[in-house]
């Protein structure tokens, strides 16, 4: 980003000398209906103003609309206001988040619920919410045809109960001008105790950095504003608790900028400044000149309690539009990659649960829970529930009844997210199935032992991701019956580039739909005598090496054969079950 010499401070605009005061031109106050006391930060954006404004002619709005309708069932050009809020994490380390979208025109509720894949509906204090299938538990609430509330379950629960809230963030949002294309507000007051605890836990730092540990005691809020038009304007404001604190904040920020400039200059000197190559020397001089100009123009301006840094970039909305048009396909690919990563992560967690079951029981789970007559009643997925932190759900099952009994079928809707694929509708069905058949990882009514995997656990498929049309109710004892003469049946279409498998050693990988059926057959069998290195399966070929001996009459007799992988490279495998 280039910073112009005439860097414009948004705080200099009329009516906005204090960024915590609304300007006379600002629109009506932000609707704070769904913002709970627990929220500590908010991002307010106006997509419609950006995408339909006078400077938007170069933006790929057709692509943006199509992508929005495809991925979420909404047109981003109709989103008048989007408010994303953040709260301290209820579990783990990642903050809880949720979004409130307000539209200028009615959206289609049916389109949204069909694409987001919702789960079961629930009534919460007279409000109908749906559980959204996602990596983390989320709720979707559609209060009217111009508003959408979606976010992590604990935070949405608080949002729906919010009424007459007073909090540091709420007080800040009531005063802040949020008319910019994007405004981010972070209340330090709301999290100061947490930040001080974090600072106290930090190991001793060198003296030059110790001043930065003072900031939680000095700051009250952090504000960011961005406007996109013929030029890009941005402003960062650090609001201190009083003017004395603002003076100290200014000193620390200037110190930080000087240290950053020095660090960059040292890096330039190391990488190019000492080179004898005239081109590298010239590059170092150019980098030095540009860095010095950039830091010279980033000058913090203090007014009262506020310390602001403003930038203006020469990038036009047209160039931004071209970049967005080029990036959207990449973003689509990234979304697909994220789904694949989540699917494989789910498979790994399932595999870990199966192996933990084996550690406790000295056997893998059978592919079903059977009755005394040998009739399969419930899936192995039910049997491992205690090993995926779902013991409460496990206790609700009647293990002596089939999966579709009057009682057990009521539990289908409670499918754990680990059994779900992120982009599938939450209909209680799962694509994650075990291979069942003679010589495979799951055979018979009793679970196998790991020593039964004589081909090696790193060479045997334990779990597969089947095609969508093969998905089954997660409690049903129905899995992939593998026909070794046609091992690809039911596989290959889960993703554009193939399907995921989990090996019995707990590792996951994606196999191409064009995989050699002989290789896939070898991976399915647990004791077929064809040890395989899964890292080298593409393009590999299994051949039958025939052992022969000469007969007295001069002829040859085939004694037998052994299947091997021609490109085997796993001779140093650490798998204790791997065959030499």
């Amino acid at each position: 980003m280039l910073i112009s010499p005439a860097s414009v401070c948004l705080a200099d605009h009329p009516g906005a000398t204090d960024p915590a005061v609304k300007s006379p031109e600002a629109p009506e106050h932000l609707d704070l209906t769904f913002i709970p006391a627990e929220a500590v930060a908010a991002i307010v954006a106006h997509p419609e103003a950006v995408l339909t404004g006078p400077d938007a002619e170069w933006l790929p709005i057709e692509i943006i609309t199509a992508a929005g309708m495809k991925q979420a069932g909404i047109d981003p050009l109709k989103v008048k206001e989007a408010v994303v809020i953040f709260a301290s994490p209820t579990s783990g380390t990642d903050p809880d988040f949720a979004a409130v979208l307000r539209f200028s025109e009615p959206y289609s509720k049916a389109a949204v619920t069909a694409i987001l894949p919702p789960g079961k509906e629930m009534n919460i204090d007279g409000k109908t919410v749906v559980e959204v299938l996602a990596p983390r538990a989320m709720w979707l609430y559609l209060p009217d045809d111009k508003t959408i509330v979606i976010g992590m379950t604990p935070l949405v629960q608080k949002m729906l109960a919010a009424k007459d809230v007073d909090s540091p963030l709420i007080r800040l949002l009531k005063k802040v001008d949020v008319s910019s294309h994007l405004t981010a507000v972070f209340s330090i007051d709301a999290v100061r105790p947490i930040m001080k605890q974090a600072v106290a836990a930090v190991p001793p730092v060198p003296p030059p950095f110790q001043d930065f540990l003072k900031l939680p005691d000095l700051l009250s809020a952090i504000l960011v504003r961005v406007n996109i038009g013929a030029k890009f304007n941005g402003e960062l404001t650090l609001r201190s608790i009083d003017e004395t604190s603002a003076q100290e904040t200014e000193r620390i920020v200037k110190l930080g900028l000087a240290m950053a400039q020095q660090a960059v200059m040292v890096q330039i000197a190391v990488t190019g400044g000492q080179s004898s190559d005239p081109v590298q020397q010239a590059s170092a001089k150019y980098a030095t000149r540009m860095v010095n100009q950039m830091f010279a123009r980033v000058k913090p301006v203090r007014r009262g309690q506020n310390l602001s840094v403003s930038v203006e970039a020469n990038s036009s909305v047209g160039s931004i539009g071209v970049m967005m048009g080029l990036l959207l396909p990449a973003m689509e690919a990234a979304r697909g990659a994220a789904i694949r990563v989540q699917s494989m992560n789910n498979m790994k967690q399932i595999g870990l649960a199966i192996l933990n079951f084996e550690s406790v029981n000295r056997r893998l789970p059978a592919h079903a829970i059977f009755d005394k007559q040998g009739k399969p009643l419930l899936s192995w997925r039910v049997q491992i529930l205690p090993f995926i932190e779902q013991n409460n759900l496990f206790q609700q099952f009647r293990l002596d009844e089939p999966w579709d009994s009057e009682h057990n079928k009521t539990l289908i809707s409670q499918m754990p997210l680990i059994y779900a694929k992120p982009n599938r509708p939450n209909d209680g069905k799962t694509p994650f199935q075990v291979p069942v058949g003679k010589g495979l990882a799951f055979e018979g009514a009793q679970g196998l032992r790991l020593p039964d995997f004589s081909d090696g656990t790193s060479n045997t498929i334990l779990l597969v991701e089947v095609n969508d049309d093969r998905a089954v109710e997660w409690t049903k004892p129905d899995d992939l019956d593998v026909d070794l003469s046609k091992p690809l049946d039911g596989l290959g279409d889960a993703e554009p580039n193939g399907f995921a498998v989990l090996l019995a050693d707990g590792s996951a990988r994606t196999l191409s739909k064009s995989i050699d059926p002989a290789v896939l057959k070898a991976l399915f069998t647990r004791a077929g005598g064809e040890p395989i290195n899964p890292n080298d399966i593409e393009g590999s070929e299994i051949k039958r090496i025939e052992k022969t001996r000469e007969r007295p009459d001069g002829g040859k007799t085939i004694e037998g054969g052994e299947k091997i992988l021609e490109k085997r490279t796993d001779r140093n495998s650490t798998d204790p079950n791997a065959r030499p």
Side-chain angles (χ1 to χ4, degrees):
M1 177 182 293
L2 296 177
I3 302 176
S4 70
S7 181
V8 177
C9 177
L10 299 182
D12 289 338
H13 292 176
T17 54
D18 184 344
V21 175
K22 293 180 67 65
S23 68
E25 298 82 8
E28 60 187 72
H29 281 286
L30 180 67
D31 189 337
L32 304 175
T33 303
F34 295 108
I35 301 183
E38 291 79 7
V40 300
I43 298 175
V44 183
H46 301 96
E48 185 180 48
V50 175
L51 300 175
T52 63
D55 298 312
E57 59 181 327
W58 287 96
L59 292 176
I61 55 177
E62 299 86 356
I63 301 175
I64 294 171
T65 294
M69 296 302 298
K70 177 183 176 181
Q71 305 296 346
I74 62 172
D75 184 355
L77 274 66
K78 306 301 182 184
V79 180
K80 183 179 181 181
E81 179 182 87
V83 181
V84 182
I85 63 173
F86 301 87
S88 298
T90 51
S91 62
T93 57
D94 296 329
D96 290 348
F97 62 89
V100 181
L101 306 180
R102 293 186 172 87
F103 295 77
S104 57
E105 297 179 10
Y107 63 88
S108 169
K109 291 186 177 182
V112 171
T113 54
I115 292 179
L116 283 179
K120 62 180 180 180
E121 290 190 355
M122 295 170 286
N123 188 284
I124 308 297
D125 297 329
K127 300 179 177 71
T128 300
V129 301
V130 285
E131 185 180 43
V132 176
L133 194 60
R136 298 175 69 177
M138 300 183 75
W139 276 4
L140 171 69
Y141 174 50
L142 308 177
D144 55 61
D145 62 2
K146 288 188 177 181
T147 309
I148 293 177
V149 179
I150 185 170
M152 297 178 61
T153 299
L155 184 53
V156 175
Q157 285 178 316
K158 297 181 177 70
M159 293 170 69
L160 299 185
K163 185 177 181 181
D164 299 327
V165 174
D166 180 41
S167 70
L169 181 65
I170 291 289
R171 292 192 292 272
L172 200 56
L173 289 174
K174 286 181 177 179
K175 296 189 295 181
V176 168
D177 179 0
V178 295
S179 61
S180 297
H181 289 153
L182 183 143
T183 306
V185 181
F186 178 31
S187 174
I188 303 296
D189 292 336
V191 294
R192 182 172 289 106
I194 299 175
M195 294 184 68
K196 294 183 71 171
Q197 289 179 5
V199 168
V202 172
V205 297
F209 297 96
Q210 290 178 356
D211 282 342
F212 299 104
L213 302 181
K214 301 177 182 179
L215 289 175
D217 289 321
L218 301 174
L219 296 178
S220 174
I222 299 176
L223 311 175
V224 176
R225 287 196 184 88
V226 172
N227 278 298
I228 301 172
K231 292 187 177 182
F232 172 94
N233 288 305
E235 179 187 54
L236 167 68
T237 298
L238 304 180
R239 185 174 179 83
S240 299
I241 57 177
D242 53 39
E243 290 197 30
T244 301
S245 299
Q247 293 174 0
E248 179 67 1
T249 299
E250 181 181 21
R251 184 189 68 80
I252 294 173
V253 167
K254 289 182 175 179
L255 172 65
L257 289 172
M259 292 173 63
Q261 182 176 7
Q262 182 181 17
V264 174
M265 298 303 292
V266 168
Q267 185 63 31
I268 292 173
V270 170
T271 56
Q274 299 177 358
S275 173
S276 58
D277 186 331
V279 175
Q280 290 191 9
Q281 291 177 351
S283 298
K285 291 179 180 179
Y286 170 74
T288 299
R289 177 167 60 87
M290 295 307 297
V291 168
N292 285 333
Q293 287 186 20
M294 182 181 70
F295 277 97
R297 292 168 181 170
V298 179
K299 293 294 186 182
V301 177
R302 178 171 56 83
R303 292 185 179 88
Q305 297 172 236
N306 300 316
L307 182 71
S308 299
V309 178
S310 301
V311 297
E312 181 182 277
N314 291 327
S315 300
S316 68
V317 71
S319 61
I320 294 174
V322 172
M323 287 189 294
M324 288 180 64
L326 294 173
L327 287 174
L328 277 170
M331 293 169 63
E332 179 77 8
R335 180 180 180 273
I339 291 173
R340 290 192 293 274
V341 169
Q342 183 59 45
S343 290
M344 297 188 78
N345 184 61
N346 286 356
M347 295 187 78
K348 290 180 181 180
Q349 295 302 315
I350 295 170
L352 180 61
I354 293 175
L355 295 176
N356 285 339
F357 181 99
E358 188 277 336
S359 295
V360 172
N361 298 281
R362 301 303 178 191
R363 285 183 178 276
L364 297 174
H367 79 276
I369 298 174
F370 295 87
D371 64 12
K372 294 180 180 179
Q373 289 72 42
K375 177 184 176 181
L377 301 176
L378 289 157
S379 169
W380 58 271
R381 289 175 285 266
V382 174
Q383 196 167 6
I384 68 168
L385 284 175
F387 297 89
I388 58 172
E389 300 181 358
Q390 293 286 341
N391 191 57
N392 289 339
L393 179 56
F394 179 73
Q395 296 296 330
Q396 297 178 50
F397 279 92
R398 294 177 182 173
L399 303 182
D400 57 349
E401 296 181 5
W403 70 277
D404 56 353
S405 70
E406 288 300 317
H407 172 78
N408 285 342
K409 69 181 181 181
T410 64
L411 302 174
I412 295 175
S413 62
Q414 298 187 41
M415 180 175 74
L417 293 177
I418 196 175
Y419 294 142
K421 186 175 178 180
N423 63 339
R424 281 200 80 255
N426 185 10
D427 52 5
K429 292 184 177 182
T430 178
F432 301 129
Q433 300 175 22
V434 296
V436 179
K438 185 174 177 59
L440 308 187
F442 290 81
E443 178 182 359
Q446 191 175 25
L448 299 172
R449 299 174 300 115
L450 289 183
D452 295 326
F453 291 69
S454 57
D455 279 351
T457 56
S458 62
N459 302 323
T460 308
I461 293 176
L462 188 70
L463 187 71
V464 295
E465 179 188 14
V466 300
N467 298 340
D468 282 351
D469 61 354
R470 294 290 190 97
V472 298
E473 286 81 0
W474 72 281
T475 59
K476 186 178 182 180
D478 188 7
D479 287 274
L480 184 67
D481 289 315
V482 179
D483 181 351
L484 291 178
S485 66
K486 297 182 290 183
L488 268 168
D489 276 5
L491 303 171
D493 296 328
E495 293 293 343
N497 64 334
F499 60 101
V501 301
L502 182 86
L503 301 178
D505 65 354
S507 62
R509 64 199 61 229
T510 298
L511 302 184
S512 169
K513 63 190 304 179
S514 61
I515 185 174
D516 186 341
V519 176
L520 183 58
K521 176 183 175 182
L523 286 169
F524 269 131
T525 57
R526 70 177 190 273
E530 350 62 340
I532 291 176
N533 178 2
N535 289 323
D536 196 29
I537 62 173
E538 294 300 329
S540 299
E541 176 180 20
I542 291 182
K543 291 188 175 181
R544 191 170 186 85
I545 306 302
E546 297 178 335
K547 298 178 181 179
T548 60
R549 62 178 175 82
E550 292 187 0
R551 297 199 307 264
D553 61 2
K556 293 184 179 182
T557 299
I558 297 176
E559 290 187 328
E562 180 183 15
K563 297 174 183 177
I564 65 170
L565 182 68
E566 195 170 55
K567 292 184 179 179
R568 183 172 179 191
T569 59
D570 64 340
R571 301 190 181 278
N572 295 323
S573 171
T574 58
D575 182 355
N577 297 309
R579 291 165 65 91

